[in-house]
Amino acid sequence: MSQQAPGEPIKVDCPICKGHLTVDRETGHVLHASAPKGAQRSFEAALGDVKQAEARREQDFLDAFQQEKTRRDLLDKKFETAKEKAESDPKPRINPMDID
């Protein structure tokens, strides 16, 4: 660290993340913080990530569609079973709409 004038803020570089801090000498408050610039990615790499995400979304949609179809088939089967059970029950049912 180089010598600085007594009134000037302290400039600190993080050895781990390579970020920069400017700290007030008197109060100890951080006046400015800057994050290190990330590694630059190529356009092809970013485009590949977008295409992978698109394929993953498409697969998730197909999985959800299949689950919904299976759930609908199960509910239809349960409804038919309950309907057959209700038809075979000898006890007459009262329609709530007929009650006046």
Side-chain angles (χ1 to χ4, degrees), residues 63-90:
D63 292 344
F65 183 78
Q66 187 61 37
Q67 287 175 354
E68 184 63 26
K69 185 177 177 186
T70 303
R71 185 174 86 58
R72 186 178 305 151
D73 291 343
L74 179 64
L75 289 175
D76 287 342
K77 184 186 267 186
K78 285 182 178 182
F79 178 74
E80 289 299 322
T81 304
K83 192 166 105 175
E84 290 172 4
K85 182 179 176 185
E87 289 174 354
S88 66
D89 191 8

Side-chain angles (χ1 to χ4, degrees), residues 12-21 33-39:
V12 181
D13 296 330
C14 178
I16 298 171
C17 73
K18 307 297 183 214
H20 305 287
L21 294 176
S34 62
K37 295 189 176 175

